Amino acid sequence: MKEFRVNAKGAFKLKDVKADYGSGDKAETKEKLLALNKELEMLQEQLYAEHKHKVLVILQAMDTGGKDGVIRHVFEGVNPQGVRVAGFKAPTPLELDHDYLWRVHQQAPAKGELVIFNRSHYEDVLVVAVHQLVPEKVWCKRYDQINDFERMLAEEGTTICKFFLHIDLDEQKQRLQERLENPDKQWKFNPDDLKERKLWPEYMKAYEAVLRRTSTDWAPWYVVPSNKKWFRNYVVASILVKTLRGLNMKYPKADFDPSAIQIDGTALP
Amino acid sequence: MKEFRVNAKGAFKLKDVKADYGSGDKAETKEKLLALNKELEMLQEQLYAEHKHKVLVILQAMDTGGKDGVIRHVFEGVNPQGVRVAGFKAPTPLELDHDYLWRVHQQAPAKGELVIFNRSHYEDVLVVAVHQLVPEKVWCKRYDQINDFERMLAEEGTTICKFFLHIDLDEQKQRLQERLENPDKQWKFNPDDLKERKLWPEYMKAYEAVLRRTSTDWAPWYVVPSNKKWFRNYVVASILVKTLRGLNMKYPKADFDPSAIQIDGTALP
C-alpha cells in the first residue's frame, strides 16, 4: 500500500514507477482479488448501514488506462445502492459558466455513500493545462484550491483515495489497436484520442505536477502500475479494502430494545 | 412473463395473486438466475455502448418486501457505471414545495442509462392516500397524471418496467422478527414500521387501485410473488432480460473506417 502512495512531501518522479511492474503469480492474484471483492462488498454494506462516513474514490488515467476496467472488476458485486459513479466529461456551457469545482461538489458523496469519480476536477489542471484552455495564471492556482477543497471534504467526514492508473506509451498503442480491431469495442475508440496521444510527454509532465502538488495526508494519490490489468485491479482493491477497514465501521445499534418488541403482540409460531 | 403482468384493461384483483407462489426447483432456479445475471450484465453493457435507449425499473413493496434484495441479487455484476439507484424517502421541505413529480423527473434515466427507483412517485398515491397526507381530490388525479408522465418518458425513448413485490402479512411478520433478532440487521428495523403494518388492508386497497389504474402498454406493472426470495429474484431478472432483449441493441458501428487508421503511422510489432 505504502509502496504506491505518493509521499506528500517528496519530490515525486513519475519515471521511478514502472508501468509494467507486477509482482506475484497472475492466477493467484486473481484469486486474491475475488476475496477482496467479497470483503469490499461487506465493508460497503457496513458503510451504508452505519450512515456515518463518506467515501470518495477518484480515478484518473490516460485514454485506455483502465478506469472503466477498475470500476467493473474492483466494484463488481457491491450493492448498486450506496455506490455511485460520477463521470466528468467535457463541461457543458452551463458548467463552464461556473467555477470548475461547482459540478464536482454536487457529486460529492453523502453519508453512507461510496462515490467513484471517473475523471474529476483534476482534468482542470491536466487537459486544461496541456491545451492552455485557460491562462496559466488561472490554472496554476488550482493545485492549492483543490487541496483546500479536498481538505474541507475530509474534515467534514469524507475519506478520499485518488488513483492514477499508470500505463506506458506502448501499452496504450496495443490497447487502441485492440479497440480498432474488435467490432464490439470500436465504440470506445475516438480518432481524436490519437491527437491526445501525440501530447503524451506534455500529459506526463502535467500528471507529475498534479501528483507532486496534490498528494496530501487527507487525500493521498496512489500511482498504480497498470500495464498488467490483473495487478492493477488487485492493487486498487487492496488499497480500498485497507482504507475502509481503517474506518472501524460497525452496524449501528438499535435505539430501542429489540427484545421488548413483539410484532402483533404475539410470539411467532 | 405474461403470467405476472397486470392487464391494462382488466379488473385486476390482488387476492388472485398468491404471495407464496413459486414454481420450479429452488436450486435449479438459483442456477438459472446466475445465467440471467450474466446476460443482464451483457445487455447493460450494450445499452451503455449504444447510447440510444433509456431504461427505468420501478420497485414498490411493503416494508421487508425485498426491494433491497432485488437490487442486490438481480443487479449484482452489472457495471455500476451506467446503472444508478434512486431512492425516494419522505420528501424534504424543498421537495414538498414542488409538485410530487419534480424530484422524480430529475432522476429519470438518460440515454444509455438504467435507473432503478427504490420506491417512487407511486408513494404519492400509496402512503399519501392511506394517511390522507393531501386531500383525496388532489391525489385521485394523480393516477392519470402519472400515466401521462410515464407516457411522455416512454415516447421520448424510455423503457419502463414496474414491479410490485408481493408478500403477505405472515411473511412480513417473520422478516420483521428476523431483523429484530439479528444484530447485523437491526438497523433496518424501525419501530414505526409496526404502525404501517396495522394499516395492511388499507395499503392493499391502495396498491390494488394503483395496479388497476396505472398498468399501461407503455409502462406495465408486474406483480411478483415474493414470499420465496429465490423465485422473486428469478421472475424479476427474467422479465428484465426479456424486455432488454426486445430492444435489439447493437454495439454502435464506428463512424470512421477502422482499417484506415494506423496508430503512430506504423504497424504493431
Side-chain angles (χ1 to χ4, degrees):
Chain A
M1 186 160 166
K2 277 193 184 153
E3 197 180 347
F4 304 109
R5 181 167 171 160
V6 179
N7 194 313
K9 296 206 178 68
F12 172 81
K13 287 198 182 102
L14 199 47
K15 75 173 168 50
D16 293 343
V17 185
K18 298 285 167 251
D20 69 350
Y21 177 77
S23 71
D25 174 71
K26 181 172 170 180
E28 263 175 40
T29 305
K30 282 187 165 189
E31 284 299 313
K32 282 196 218 163
L33 177 63
L34 292 180
L36 289 169
N37 285 143
K38 277 283 157 213
E39 189 171 350
L40 193 62
E41 202 178 323
M42 191 268 288
L43 287 162
Q44 185 258 322
E45 187 179 287
Q46 285 189 325
L47 177 76
Y48 183 80
E50 196 180 41
H51 197 72
K52 178 178 166 189
H53 300 281
K54 309 157 175 134
V55 179
L56 175 59
V57 177
I58 296 180
L59 298 178
Q60 284 287 157
M62 295 296 286
D63 290 325
T64 78
K67 298 183 301 297
D68 294 351
V70 162
I71 293 171
R72 175 172 281 274
H73 291 103
V74 174
F75 294 95
E76 90 175 356
V78 298
N79 193 340
Q81 186 152 255
V83 175
R84 185 159 55 82
V85 179
F88 295 96
K89 300 193 175 169
T92 65
L94 174 66
E95 288 167 349
L96 282 172
D97 278 355
H98 290 265
D99 68 84
Y100 67 102
L101 291 174
W102 179 76
R103 63 174 184 162
V104 171
H105 204 160
Q106 291 174 40
Q107 299 292 342
K111 280 182 189 175
E113 233 187 354
L114 188 157
V115 172
I116 304 156
F117 280 6
N118 185 344
R119 303 188 187 273
S120 64
H121 43 295
Y122 285 99
E123 293 295 337
D124 295 288
V125 280
L126 289 165
V127 63
V128 167
V130 168
H131 289 278
Q132 295 289 334
L133 299 179
V134 302
E136 179 165 356
K137 67 172 185 188
V138 173
W139 62 254
C140 76
K141 289 183 186 147
R142 291 182 175 175
Y143 304 106
D144 290 341
Q145 291 164 358
I146 288 173
N147 287 341
D148 291 343
F149 171 66
E150 290 178 350
R151 173 147 52 185
M152 180 278 293
L153 293 182
E155 286 171 351
E156 291 282 320
T158 310
T159 299
I160 306 173
C161 282
K162 304 184 292 197
F163 296 98
F164 172 52
L165 310 176
H166 183 37
I167 57 167
D168 58 30
L169 206 51
D170 284 346
E171 183 67 21
Q172 191 192 49
K173 187 175 186 176
Q174 290 195 32
R175 293 187 185 182
L176 287 172
Q177 195 67 46
E178 206 186 310
R179 287 186 180 178
L180 275 176
E181 287 166 8
N182 182 342
D184 286 1
K185 288 197 175 175
Q186 277 166 14
W187 64 280
K188 285 189 159 197
F189 188 91
N190 180 345
D192 285 342
D193 293 348
L194 297 182
K195 290 183 201 157
E196 297 300 294
R197 177 172 166 79
K198 285 197 179 134
L199 296 167
W200 192 276
E202 288 80 359
Y203 271 105
M204 289 307 109
K205 211 182 127 206
Y207 265 110
E208 197 164 72
V210 160
L211 295 164
R212 279 185 190 179
R213 301 197 53 182
T214 64
S215 193
T216 55
D217 292 335
W218 57 89
W221 273 106
Y222 297 91
V223 178
V224 182
S226 297
N227 277 12
K228 296 181 170 71
K229 293 174 183 174
W230 55 270
F231 188 69
R232 170 199 77 197
N233 293 339
Y234 173 70
V235 170
V236 172
S238 300
I239 290 168
L240 279 174
V241 163
K242 268 203 183 161
T243 304
L244 291 175
R245 271 187 211 150
L247 296 178
N248 293 314
M249 296 180 289
K250 287 176 194 71
Y251 286 100
K253 288 235 182 297
D255 55 1
F256 52 87
D257 175 9
S259 65
I261 290 180
Q262 285 217 324
I263 299 162
D264 303 343
T266 59
L268 265 182
Chain B
M1 187 163 167
K2 276 190 185 156
E3 196 179 348
F4 304 108
R5 182 167 170 158
V6 179
N7 194 312
K9 295 202 181 69
F12 173 81
K13 288 197 183 101
L14 199 48
K15 73 173 170 51
D16 293 343
V17 185
K18 298 285 167 253
D20 69 349
Y21 176 78
S23 71
D25 174 71
K26 182 172 170 179
E28 264 177 38
T29 305
K30 283 187 165 187
E31 283 299 313
K32 283 197 215 162
L33 177 61
L34 291 180
L36 288 169
N37 285 143
K38 279 281 156 215
E39 188 171 351
L40 192 61
E41 201 179 324
M42 191 268 290
L43 287 161
Q44 185 259 323
E45 186 179 287
Q46 285 188 325
L47 176 76
Y48 183 81
E50 196 180 41
H51 197 71
K52 178 178 166 189
H53 299 281
K54 308 156 175 134
V55 179
L56 176 59
V57 176
I58 296 180
L59 299 178
Q60 284 287 158
M62 297 294 286
D63 290 324
T64 77
K67 298 183 301 298
D68 294 351
V70 162
I71 293 171
R72 174 172 282 273
H73 291 103
V74 174
F75 294 95
E76 91 175 354
V78 299
N79 192 340
Q81 186 153 253
V83 175
R84 185 158 55 83
V85 179
F88 295 96
K89 301 193 174 170
T92 65
L94 173 67
E95 288 167 348
L96 283 172
D97 279 355
H98 291 265
D99 68 84
Y100 67 103
L101 292 173
W102 179 76
R103 63 174 184 162
V104 171
H105 204 161
Q106 292 174 39
Q107 299 293 341
K111 281 182 187 175
E113 232 186 355
L114 188 158
V115 171
I116 305 155
F117 280 6
N118 185 346
R119 303 189 187 272
S120 64
H121 43 295
Y122 285 100
E123 294 295 338
D124 295 288
V125 280
L126 289 164
V127 64
V128 167
V130 168
H131 289 277
Q132 295 290 334
L133 299 179
V134 302
E136 178 165 356
K137 67 173 184 186
V138 173
W139 63 254
C140 76
K141 289 183 187 148
R142 291 182 176 174
Y143 304 106
D144 290 341
Q145 292 164 357
I146 288 172
N147 287 341
D148 291 343
F149 171 66
E150 290 177 351
R151 173 148 53 187
M152 180 279 291
L153 293 181
E155 287 171 350
E156 291 281 320
T158 308
T159 299
I160 305 173
C161 282
K162 304 183 292 198
F163 297 97
F164 171 52
L165 311 175
H166 183 35
I167 57 168
D168 58 29
L169 206 51
D170 284 346
E171 182 67 21
Q172 191 192 49
K173 188 175 185 175
Q174 290 195 32
R175 293 187 185 181
L176 287 171
Q177 195 67 47
E178 205 186 310
R179 286 186 181 177
L180 275 177
E181 287 166 10
N182 182 342
D184 286 0
K185 287 198 174 175
Q186 278 167 12
W187 65 279
K188 285 189 159 197
F189 188 91
N190 180 346
D192 284 343
D193 293 348
L194 297 182
K195 290 184 200 158
E196 297 300 294
R197 177 172 166 80
K198 286 197 180 135
L199 297 167
W200 192 276
E202 287 81 358
Y203 271 105
M204 289 307 109
K205 212 182 125 205
Y207 265 110
E208 198 164 72
V210 161
L211 295 164
R212 279 184 191 180
R213 300 197 53 182
T214 64
S215 193
T216 55
D217 292 335
W218 57 89
W221 273 108
Y222 298 90
V223 178
V224 183
S226 298
N227 278 11
K228 296 182 170 69
K229 294 174 183 176
W230 55 271
F231 188 68
R232 170 199 78 196
N233 294 338
Y234 173 70
V235 170
V236 173
S238 299
I239 291 167
L240 278 175
V241 163
K242 267 203 180 158
T243 304
L244 290 175
R245 271 187 210 150
L247 297 178
N248 292 314
M249 297 180 289
K250 287 177 194 71
Y251 286 100
K253 288 237 181 299
D255 54 1
F256 52 87
D257 176 8
S259 65
I261 289 181
Q262 285 217 324
I263 298 162
D264 304 342
T266 59
L268 265 183

